[in-house]
Amino acid sequence: MLRCPPFGLQSRHRRLRSISVLLLLSICGLLAACQRAPQVLPQQAYIWQRQWSPAVAAAMQASEQLVGGWRVLAAELTTQRHWKTASPDWQALKTTQHAIVMVVRLDGQTESLDAATHARISDLLARWRQQGVPVAGVEIDYDCPTSQLPAYRNFLAGLRQSLDRDTTLSITALPTWLNSPELGKLLAVADESVLQVHAVMNPRQGLFDAERAQAWLKAYAKQTAHPWRVALPSYGTRVSWDDNGRISTVESERPLLASGNTAQELTASPAVVSAFLAQLDKNPEPGLIGVVWFRLPTEDDVRNWSLPTWQAVLARQPLKAAVTVEAQASSQNTQAGLHDLTLRNNGNADSALPLIVRIDAASACDAADGINGYALEADAQGKYLRRTHEGLLRAGYQRNIGWAHCGQHPIQLHVEH
Protein backbone atom coordinates (compact mmCIF):
# COMPACT_ATOMS: atom_id res chain seq x y z
CA MET A 1 0.00 0.00 0.00
CA LEU A 2 1.42 3.38 -1.03
CA ARG A 3 1.86 5.70 1.93
CA CYS A 4 2.07 9.49 1.43
CA PRO A 5 4.00 11.74 3.79
CA PRO A 6 1.98 13.89 6.15
CA PHE A 7 0.67 17.19 4.70
CA GLY A 8 3.07 19.33 6.77
CA LEU A 9 6.06 17.36 5.53
CA GLN A 10 4.90 17.78 1.91
CA SER A 11 4.65 21.51 2.45
CA ARG A 12 8.18 21.65 3.84
CA HIS A 13 9.50 19.67 0.87
CA ARG A 14 7.86 22.09 -1.56
CA ARG A 15 9.31 25.08 0.27
CA LEU A 16 12.79 23.52 0.22
CA ARG A 17 12.49 22.83 -3.51
CA SER A 18 11.35 26.42 -4.10
CA ILE A 19 14.25 27.80 -2.08
CA SER A 20 16.70 25.57 -3.99
CA VAL A 21 15.34 26.77 -7.33
CA LEU A 22 15.59 30.40 -6.24
CA LEU A 23 19.17 29.90 -5.04
CA LEU A 24 20.09 28.22 -8.32
CA LEU A 25 18.52 31.06 -10.33
CA SER A 26 20.34 33.64 -8.20
CA ILE A 27 23.69 31.89 -8.72
CA CYS A 28 23.08 31.69 -12.46
CA GLY A 29 22.16 35.38 -12.50
CA LEU A 30 25.34 36.33 -10.67
CA LEU A 31 27.47 34.27 -13.04
CA ALA A 32 25.78 35.84 -16.05
CA ALA A 33 26.31 39.31 -14.58
CA CYS A 34 30.01 38.58 -14.11
CA GLN A 35 30.29 37.52 -17.74
CA ARG A 36 28.41 40.54 -19.15
CA ALA A 37 30.36 43.49 -20.50
CA PRO A 38 30.20 46.70 -18.43
CA GLN A 39 27.17 48.89 -18.99
CA VAL A 40 27.93 51.67 -21.48
CA LEU A 41 26.93 55.06 -20.10
CA PRO A 42 24.50 57.08 -22.27
CA GLN A 43 26.28 59.79 -24.27
CA GLN A 44 25.38 63.24 -25.51
CA ALA A 45 27.45 65.94 -27.18
CA TYR A 46 27.69 69.72 -27.18
CA ILE A 47 27.37 71.57 -30.47
CA TRP A 48 29.19 74.82 -29.79
CA GLN A 49 29.16 76.89 -32.97
CA ARG A 50 27.45 80.27 -33.24
CA GLN A 51 27.63 80.14 -37.05
CA TRP A 52 26.89 76.70 -38.46
CA SER A 53 28.75 75.51 -41.54
CA PRO A 54 27.66 72.49 -43.61
CA ALA A 55 30.35 70.53 -41.76
CA VAL A 56 28.43 70.84 -38.47
CA ALA A 57 25.25 69.30 -39.83
CA ALA A 58 27.30 66.61 -41.61
CA ALA A 59 29.12 65.63 -38.39
CA MET A 60 25.85 65.64 -36.50
CA GLN A 61 24.22 63.30 -39.01
CA ALA A 62 27.26 60.99 -39.07
CA SER A 63 27.14 60.60 -35.27
CA GLU A 64 23.40 60.16 -34.69
CA GLN A 65 23.75 56.46 -33.86
CA LEU A 66 26.44 57.04 -31.23
CA VAL A 67 24.81 59.73 -29.10
CA GLY A 68 21.46 60.00 -27.39
CA GLY A 69 21.07 63.76 -27.33
CA TRP A 70 22.49 67.12 -28.38
CA ARG A 71 23.21 70.15 -26.19
CA VAL A 72 23.27 73.08 -28.56
CA LEU A 73 24.60 76.59 -27.95
CA ALA A 74 21.74 79.06 -28.50
CA ALA A 75 23.13 82.36 -27.20
CA GLU A 76 25.84 84.01 -25.08
CA LEU A 77 25.48 86.97 -22.73
CA THR A 78 28.65 89.06 -22.42
CA THR A 79 29.83 91.11 -19.46
CA GLN A 80 28.67 94.22 -21.39
CA ARG A 81 25.11 92.79 -21.40
CA HIS A 82 25.28 92.09 -25.15
CA TRP A 83 23.55 88.99 -26.47
CA LYS A 84 25.30 86.97 -29.18
CA THR A 85 22.71 84.69 -30.70
CA ALA A 86 23.61 81.52 -32.58
CA SER A 87 22.37 80.80 -36.10
CA PRO A 88 21.93 77.02 -36.21
CA ASP A 89 20.81 74.84 -39.07
CA TRP A 90 17.11 74.60 -38.19
CA GLN A 91 16.54 71.73 -40.59
CA ALA A 92 19.29 69.65 -38.98
CA LEU A 93 17.87 70.29 -35.52
CA LYS A 94 14.28 69.60 -36.57
CA THR A 95 15.08 66.29 -38.22
CA THR A 96 17.34 64.83 -35.53
CA GLN A 97 16.07 61.67 -33.89
CA HIS A 98 17.17 62.95 -30.48
CA ALA A 99 15.86 65.50 -28.02
CA ILE A 100 17.65 68.86 -27.83
CA VAL A 101 18.87 70.78 -24.79
CA MET A 102 19.14 74.48 -25.59
CA VAL A 103 22.26 75.94 -23.94
CA VAL A 104 22.55 79.57 -22.87
CA ARG A 105 26.02 80.72 -21.86
CA LEU A 106 26.42 83.58 -19.38
CA ASP A 107 29.89 85.10 -19.13
CA GLY A 108 31.38 84.24 -15.75
CA GLN A 109 31.85 87.92 -14.88
CA THR A 110 28.38 89.08 -15.80
CA GLU A 111 26.02 90.27 -13.09
CA SER A 112 22.92 90.20 -15.29
CA LEU A 113 21.10 87.63 -13.18
CA ASP A 114 17.73 89.30 -13.37
CA ALA A 115 14.20 89.08 -14.75
CA ALA A 116 15.28 90.53 -18.09
CA THR A 117 17.63 87.58 -18.57
CA HIS A 118 14.79 85.20 -17.62
CA ALA A 119 12.63 86.81 -20.27
CA ARG A 120 15.34 86.58 -22.93
CA ILE A 121 15.83 82.87 -22.24
CA SER A 122 12.06 82.27 -22.43
CA ASP A 123 11.93 84.14 -25.76
CA LEU A 124 14.78 82.00 -27.12
CA LEU A 125 13.02 78.83 -26.06
CA ALA A 126 9.77 79.92 -27.71
CA ARG A 127 11.61 80.80 -30.94
CA TRP A 128 13.37 77.42 -31.09
CA ARG A 129 10.13 75.56 -30.57
CA GLN A 130 8.40 77.67 -33.19
CA GLN A 131 11.11 76.50 -35.60
CA GLY A 132 10.04 72.94 -34.86
CA VAL A 133 13.10 72.02 -32.76
CA PRO A 134 12.29 69.28 -30.17
CA VAL A 135 13.67 71.19 -27.16
CA ALA A 136 13.43 69.04 -24.05
CA GLY A 137 15.39 71.27 -21.72
CA VAL A 138 17.37 74.44 -21.07
CA GLU A 139 20.93 74.45 -19.77
CA ILE A 140 22.67 77.44 -18.20
CA ASP A 141 26.45 77.57 -18.59
CA TYR A 142 27.65 80.12 -16.04
CA ASP A 143 31.28 79.79 -14.88
CA CYS A 144 30.87 82.21 -12.02
CA PRO A 145 33.14 82.73 -9.01
CA THR A 146 32.25 80.63 -5.97
CA SER A 147 31.17 83.80 -4.14
CA GLN A 148 28.35 84.22 -6.69
CA LEU A 149 26.68 80.88 -6.00
CA PRO A 150 23.92 82.29 -3.73
CA ALA A 151 22.94 84.88 -6.37
CA TYR A 152 23.09 82.20 -9.03
CA ARG A 153 20.81 79.96 -6.97
CA ASN A 154 18.21 82.72 -6.70
CA PHE A 155 18.42 83.33 -10.44
CA LEU A 156 17.87 79.64 -11.19
CA ALA A 157 14.91 79.47 -8.82
CA GLY A 158 13.23 82.28 -10.74
CA LEU A 159 14.09 80.67 -14.07
CA ARG A 160 12.67 77.33 -12.92
CA GLN A 161 9.36 79.06 -12.15
CA SER A 162 9.26 80.66 -15.60
CA LEU A 163 9.69 77.32 -17.40
CA ASP A 164 6.96 74.74 -17.80
CA ARG A 165 7.39 71.59 -15.74
CA ASP A 166 8.04 69.45 -18.84
CA THR A 167 11.16 71.49 -19.64
CA THR A 168 14.22 70.19 -17.81
CA LEU A 169 16.49 72.80 -16.23
CA SER A 170 20.16 71.84 -16.31
CA ILE A 171 23.34 73.66 -15.31
CA THR A 172 27.05 73.14 -15.81
CA ALA A 173 29.12 72.90 -12.63
CA LEU A 174 32.77 73.65 -11.91
CA PRO A 175 35.14 71.64 -9.67
CA THR A 176 36.17 74.92 -8.03
CA TRP A 177 32.72 75.02 -6.40
CA LEU A 178 33.19 71.69 -4.61
CA ASN A 179 34.34 73.14 -1.29
CA SER A 180 31.49 75.64 -1.03
CA PRO A 181 28.60 74.95 1.36
CA GLU A 182 26.40 76.69 -1.21
CA LEU A 183 26.91 74.05 -3.90
CA GLY A 184 24.37 71.59 -2.55
CA LYS A 185 21.73 74.32 -2.36
CA LEU A 186 22.47 75.36 -5.95
CA LEU A 187 22.23 71.82 -7.31
CA ALA A 188 18.93 71.29 -5.50
CA VAL A 189 17.29 73.95 -7.69
CA ALA A 190 18.18 72.44 -11.06
CA ASP A 191 16.69 69.18 -12.34
CA GLU A 192 20.10 67.91 -13.38
CA SER A 193 23.68 69.11 -13.80
CA VAL A 194 26.82 68.52 -15.87
CA LEU A 195 30.18 68.49 -14.08
CA GLN A 196 33.06 69.81 -16.19
CA VAL A 197 36.30 67.95 -15.49
CA HIS A 198 38.42 69.57 -18.21
CA ALA A 199 40.22 72.72 -17.20
CA VAL A 200 43.38 74.74 -17.77
CA MET A 201 44.89 74.87 -14.29
CA ASN A 202 48.48 73.71 -14.70
CA PRO A 203 50.33 73.25 -18.02
CA ARG A 204 52.10 70.16 -16.65
CA GLN A 205 48.74 68.49 -15.99
CA GLY A 206 47.44 69.35 -19.45
CA LEU A 207 43.82 69.86 -20.31
CA PHE A 208 42.59 66.65 -18.71
CA ASP A 209 44.03 64.77 -15.73
CA ALA A 210 42.26 61.45 -15.12
CA GLU A 211 43.27 61.07 -11.47
CA ARG A 212 42.17 64.59 -10.61
CA ALA A 213 38.91 64.16 -12.56
CA GLN A 214 38.09 60.93 -10.67
CA ALA A 215 38.54 62.71 -7.34
CA TRP A 216 36.20 65.48 -8.49
CA LEU A 217 33.53 62.94 -9.50
CA LYS A 218 33.65 61.23 -6.11
CA ALA A 219 33.31 64.56 -4.29
CA TYR A 220 30.53 65.78 -6.59
CA ALA A 221 28.42 62.64 -6.14
CA LYS A 222 28.17 63.48 -2.43
CA GLN A 223 26.89 67.00 -3.16
CA THR A 224 23.78 66.29 -5.22
CA ALA A 225 20.68 64.12 -4.92
CA HIS A 226 19.63 64.91 -8.51
CA PRO A 227 20.79 63.11 -11.68
CA TRP A 228 24.06 64.39 -13.11
CA ARG A 229 26.40 63.88 -16.05
CA VAL A 230 30.09 64.45 -16.63
CA ALA A 231 31.50 66.54 -19.49
CA LEU A 232 34.55 64.95 -21.14
CA PRO A 233 36.87 66.81 -23.56
CA SER A 234 37.73 65.95 -27.15
CA TYR A 235 39.38 69.26 -27.97
CA GLY A 236 42.67 71.10 -27.60
CA THR A 237 43.47 74.64 -26.59
CA ARG A 238 46.30 77.16 -26.87
CA VAL A 239 47.20 78.80 -23.57
CA SER A 240 49.38 81.89 -23.11
CA TRP A 241 51.05 82.99 -19.87
CA ASP A 242 52.38 86.39 -18.85
CA ASP A 243 55.76 87.09 -17.25
CA ASN A 244 54.35 86.31 -13.79
CA GLY A 245 53.14 82.85 -14.81
CA ARG A 246 49.48 83.82 -14.87
CA ILE A 247 47.22 82.65 -17.68
CA SER A 248 46.57 85.57 -20.03
CA THR A 249 44.60 83.96 -22.88
CA VAL A 250 42.90 80.64 -23.57
CA GLU A 251 42.18 79.99 -27.26
CA SER A 252 39.90 77.00 -27.78
CA GLU A 253 37.35 77.79 -30.47
CA ARG A 254 38.35 81.03 -32.20
CA PRO A 255 41.79 82.59 -32.91
CA LEU A 256 42.71 85.29 -30.40
CA LEU A 257 45.35 87.98 -30.29
CA ALA A 258 48.13 86.45 -28.21
CA SER A 259 48.84 88.59 -25.14
CA GLY A 260 51.31 86.38 -23.29
CA ASN A 261 55.01 85.79 -23.71
CA THR A 262 54.74 81.99 -23.37
CA ALA A 263 52.25 79.81 -25.21
CA GLN A 264 51.58 76.08 -25.22
CA GLU A 265 49.15 73.76 -26.99
CA LEU A 266 47.27 71.59 -24.51
CA THR A 267 45.26 68.62 -25.76
CA ALA A 268 43.07 65.90 -24.31
CA SER A 269 44.64 62.58 -25.26
CA PRO A 270 42.11 60.20 -26.89
CA ALA A 271 43.84 57.23 -25.25
CA VAL A 272 43.73 58.77 -21.76
CA VAL A 273 40.11 59.89 -22.07
CA SER A 274 39.11 56.50 -23.52
CA ALA A 275 40.66 54.67 -20.55
CA PHE A 276 38.90 57.03 -18.15
CA LEU A 277 35.60 56.39 -19.92
CA ALA A 278 36.09 52.63 -19.55
CA GLN A 279 36.41 53.08 -15.79
CA LEU A 280 33.25 55.21 -15.71
CA ASP A 281 31.35 52.49 -17.55
CA LYS A 282 32.58 49.89 -15.07
CA ASN A 283 32.17 51.86 -11.83
CA PRO A 284 29.92 54.92 -12.24
CA GLU A 285 29.57 57.20 -9.24
CA PRO A 286 26.14 57.38 -7.54
CA GLY A 287 23.68 59.49 -9.53
CA LEU A 288 25.83 59.61 -12.69
CA ILE A 289 23.49 59.06 -15.64
CA GLY A 290 25.71 59.81 -18.63
CA VAL A 291 28.54 61.56 -20.44
CA VAL A 292 28.38 64.80 -22.42
CA TRP A 293 31.22 65.37 -24.88
CA PHE A 294 32.68 68.80 -25.43
CA ARG A 295 32.48 69.13 -28.32
CA LEU A 296 31.15 67.58 -31.54
CA PRO A 297 34.16 67.36 -33.91
CA THR A 298 33.72 68.74 -37.41
CA GLU A 299 35.84 68.96 -40.53
CA ASP A 300 36.36 72.69 -39.82
CA ASP A 301 37.36 72.30 -36.16
CA VAL A 302 41.16 72.22 -36.15
CA ARG A 303 41.37 72.13 -32.33
CA ASN A 304 39.47 68.89 -31.91
CA TRP A 305 39.93 65.20 -32.46
CA SER A 306 39.06 63.93 -35.89
CA LEU A 307 35.52 62.63 -36.29
CA PRO A 308 36.77 59.00 -36.82
CA THR A 309 38.78 59.12 -33.58
CA TRP A 310 35.88 60.60 -31.61
CA GLN A 311 33.47 58.03 -33.00
CA ALA A 312 35.89 55.20 -32.14
CA VAL A 313 36.08 56.40 -28.53
CA LEU A 314 32.30 56.68 -28.29
CA ALA A 315 31.90 53.17 -29.72
CA ARG A 316 34.48 51.85 -27.19
CA GLN A 317 36.70 50.59 -30.00
CA PRO A 318 40.46 50.04 -29.52
CA LEU A 319 42.45 53.02 -30.78
CA LYS A 320 45.23 52.46 -33.27
CA ALA A 321 47.18 54.90 -35.41
CA ALA A 322 48.67 53.62 -38.66
CA VAL A 323 51.02 56.28 -40.02
CA THR A 324 52.83 55.48 -43.27
CA VAL A 325 54.88 57.54 -45.70
CA GLU A 326 54.92 57.13 -49.46
CA ALA A 327 56.47 58.74 -52.50
CA GLN A 328 54.37 59.48 -55.54
CA ALA A 329 55.30 61.01 -58.88
CA SER A 330 54.81 64.75 -58.54
CA SER A 331 51.50 65.98 -59.90
CA GLN A 332 52.85 69.53 -60.18
CA ASN A 333 55.93 68.74 -62.25
CA THR A 334 56.54 66.29 -65.06
CA GLN A 335 60.28 66.14 -64.42
CA ALA A 336 61.42 62.51 -64.28
CA GLY A 337 62.40 61.28 -60.82
CA LEU A 338 60.58 64.06 -58.90
CA HIS A 339 58.30 62.72 -56.16
CA ASP A 340 55.99 64.15 -53.48
CA LEU A 341 56.47 62.70 -49.99
CA THR A 342 53.19 62.17 -48.15
CA LEU A 343 52.28 60.99 -44.64
CA ARG A 344 49.01 59.07 -44.27
CA ASN A 345 47.14 57.91 -41.17
CA ASN A 346 45.06 54.89 -42.08
CA GLY A 347 44.14 54.07 -38.47
CA ASN A 348 41.21 55.23 -36.35
CA ALA A 349 43.32 57.28 -33.93
CA ASP A 350 44.90 60.69 -34.41
CA SER A 351 48.68 60.43 -34.17
CA ALA A 352 51.55 62.75 -33.37
CA LEU A 353 53.53 63.67 -36.46
CA PRO A 354 56.63 61.45 -36.71
CA LEU A 355 59.87 63.09 -35.63
CA ILE A 356 61.90 61.87 -38.61
CA VAL A 357 61.18 60.55 -42.09
CA ARG A 358 64.41 59.04 -43.42
CA ILE A 359 65.25 58.69 -47.13
CA ASP A 360 67.18 55.48 -47.79
CA ALA A 361 70.59 56.17 -49.32
CA ALA A 362 70.02 53.41 -51.86
CA SER A 363 67.28 55.53 -53.43
CA ALA A 364 70.03 57.74 -54.93
CA CYS A 365 68.26 61.06 -54.23
CA ASP A 366 70.33 64.05 -55.32
CA ALA A 367 67.90 66.70 -54.03
CA ALA A 368 65.04 66.97 -51.53
CA ASP A 369 63.33 69.44 -49.23
CA GLY A 370 60.68 69.54 -46.52
CA ILE A 371 57.45 71.57 -46.18
CA ASN A 372 54.43 71.79 -43.84
CA GLY A 373 56.41 71.47 -40.62
CA TYR A 374 59.38 69.44 -41.91
CA ALA A 375 62.91 70.49 -42.86
CA LEU A 376 65.67 68.65 -44.73
CA GLU A 377 68.73 67.57 -42.74
CA ALA A 378 71.49 65.01 -43.16
CA ASP A 379 73.71 62.80 -41.00
CA ALA A 380 76.05 59.86 -41.49
CA GLN A 381 73.12 57.69 -42.60
CA GLY A 382 72.00 60.14 -45.29
CA LYS A 383 69.19 62.64 -45.89
CA TYR A 384 66.08 62.87 -43.72
CA LEU A 385 63.15 65.19 -43.03
CA ARG A 386 62.95 66.40 -39.44
CA ARG A 387 59.76 67.65 -37.81
CA THR A 388 60.10 71.33 -36.89
CA HIS A 389 56.68 71.79 -35.24
CA GLU A 390 54.63 69.42 -33.14
CA GLY A 391 51.25 68.50 -34.50
CA LEU A 392 48.71 65.77 -35.13
CA LEU A 393 47.94 63.75 -38.20
CA ARG A 394 44.23 63.07 -37.96
CA ALA A 395 42.80 59.65 -38.61
CA GLY A 396 41.97 59.29 -42.29
CA TYR A 397 44.00 62.38 -43.23
CA GLN A 398 47.23 62.90 -45.13
CA ARG A 399 49.94 65.58 -45.18
CA ASN A 400 52.45 66.45 -47.88
CA ILE A 401 55.75 66.92 -46.04
CA GLY A 402 58.23 67.45 -48.88
CA TRP A 403 59.67 66.29 -52.18
CA ALA A 404 62.64 64.31 -53.41
CA HIS A 405 64.39 63.87 -56.76
CA CYS A 406 65.71 60.33 -56.89
CA GLY A 407 67.30 58.10 -59.47
CA GLN A 408 65.75 54.89 -58.19
CA HIS A 409 62.11 53.88 -57.88
CA PRO A 410 60.47 52.91 -55.63
CA ILE A 411 61.99 55.29 -53.09
CA GLN A 412 62.68 53.68 -49.72
CA LEU A 413 61.32 55.79 -46.81
CA HIS A 414 61.29 55.05 -43.08
CA VAL A 415 59.26 56.69 -40.29
CA GLU A 416 60.98 57.23 -36.94
CA HIS A 417 58.93 58.42 -33.93
Side-chain angles (χ1 to χ4, degrees):
M1 180 177 179
L2 181 64
R3 297 179 62 87
C4 297
F7 177 77
L9 186 58
Q10 287 180 315
S11 178
R12 285 196 296 274
H13 286 166
R14 284 196 295 270
R15 287 200 298 273
L16 287 172
R17 284 197 298 271
S18 299
I19 292 172
S20 298
V21 171
L22 289 173
L23 286 172
L24 183 60
L25 290 173
S26 298
I27 292 171
C28 291
L30 287 172
L31 289 174
C34 291
Q35 295 173 351
R36 284 197 299 266
Q39 180 74 26
V40 174
L41 285 166
Q43 299 174 105
Q44 299 182 354
Y46 285 103
I47 302 177
W48 211 249
Q49 284 84 2
R50 284 211 305 266
Q51 299 294 328
W52 283 40
S53 68
V56 180
M60 185 179 173
Q61 184 177 12
S63 307
E64 283 271 312
Q65 302 304 315
L66 293 171
V67 300
W70 304 106
R71 295 181 178 243
V72 187
L73 179 66
E76 298 178 73
L77 177 62
T78 70
T79 53
Q80 294 78 28
R81 299 181 64 90
H82 296 151
W83 283 94
K84 297 180 179 179
T85 305
S87 299
D89 183 329
W90 297 117
Q91 185 63 25
L93 293 180
K94 282 193 299 184
T95 56
T96 180
Q97 60 183 320
H98 303 305
I100 300 291
V101 174
M102 188 188 80
V103 183
V104 177
R105 185 179 186 276
L106 309 180
D107 189 281
Q109 301 302 316
T110 189
E111 297 180 356
S112 302
L113 304 180
D114 51 27
T117 304
H118 289 163
R120 186 60 179 262
I121 294 171
S122 295
D123 289 344
L124 278 169
L125 179 59
R127 182 188 174 207
W128 277 49
R129 285 177 169 163
Q130 287 169 2
Q131 292 287 342
V133 179
V135 181
V138 172
E139 180 171 295
I140 305 301
D141 178 26
Y142 181 40
D143 294 348
C144 68
T146 305
S147 59
Q148 279 288 96
L149 293 184
Y152 188 22
R153 182 186 71 244
N154 292 335
F155 171 79
L156 290 175
L159 181 60
R160 175 67 275 178
Q161 291 180 352
S162 69
L163 300 174
D164 61 83
R165 295 308 307 176
D166 293 333
T167 302
T168 301
L169 176 60
S170 175
I171 64 169
T172 58
L174 299 179
T176 52
W177 299 347
L178 282 169
N179 294 325
S180 171
E182 299 293 331
L183 178 57
K185 302 174 188 177
L186 175 74
L187 297 178
V189 177
D191 301 306
E192 65 174 50
S193 58
V194 182
L195 176 65
Q196 301 176 38
V197 294
H198 47 97
V200 179
M201 300 179 70
N202 186 322
R204 288 182 296 275
Q205 293 175 316
L207 188 64
F208 175 78
D209 182 89
E211 184 176 348
R212 183 179 61 184
Q214 187 60 55
W216 286 339
L217 264 64
K218 287 184 178 296
Y220 192 77
K222 299 174 182 177
Q223 293 274 13
T224 180
H226 290 181
W228 59 285
R229 306 172 196 267
V230 58
L232 294 182
S234 64
Y235 69 100
T237 190
R238 181 178 176 83
V239 183
S240 299
W241 288 268
D242 61 21
D243 293 333
N244 297 317
R246 294 188 297 260
I247 294 174
S248 57
T249 60
V250 178
E251 178 186 325
S252 296
E253 297 127 32
R254 295 181 297 273
L256 301 174
L257 292 175
S259 58
N261 293 328
T262 304
Q264 184 176 347
E265 291 281 347
L266 303 181
T267 60
S269 163
V272 170
V273 177
S274 182
F276 182 78
L277 182 61
Q279 288 300 312
L280 288 186
D281 286 338
K282 187 177 180 181
N283 296 305
E285 295 295 331
L288 180 64
I289 61 171
V291 171
V292 188
W293 290 93
F294 189 86
R295 55 199 182 258
L296 172 68
T298 72
E299 190 78 17
D300 302 331
D301 192 349
V302 296
R303 282 206 167 90
N304 209 338
W305 300 346
S306 68
L307 193 58
T309 294
W310 185 69
Q311 291 175 338
V313 173
L314 266 64
R316 311 305 196 265
Q317 295 174 353
L319 295 175
K320 183 179 180 180
V323 178
T324 61
V325 59
E326 60 186 48
Q328 293 181 325
S330 176
S331 60
Q332 304 298 321
N333 196 312
T334 58
Q335 182 181 349
L338 188 63
H339 293 80
D340 294 325
L341 309 183
T342 303
L343 288 172
R344 299 184 190 277
N345 185 353
N346 298 314
N348 67 354
D350 301 340
S351 173
L353 291 170
L355 179 62
I356 289 175
V357 174
R358 189 170 292 278
I359 304 171
D360 195 298
S363 299
C365 300
D366 56 12
D369 203 356
I371 58 174
N372 292 331
Y374 281 83
L376 180 67
E377 296 190 4
D379 58 15
Q381 299 179 54
K383 297 182 178 68
Y384 64 92
L385 299 180
R386 182 181 59 82
R387 186 187 67 205
T388 58
H389 302 291
E390 292 187 2
L392 289 177
L393 184 60
R394 289 177 156 195
Y397 282 64
Q398 66 182 45
R399 176 184 289 209
N400 185 5
I401 60 168
W403 60 268
H405 185 269
C406 307
Q408 178 179 311
H409 187 76
I411 300 172
Q412 299 298 317
L413 303 168
H414 307 281
V415 170
E416 299 179 10
H417 292 279

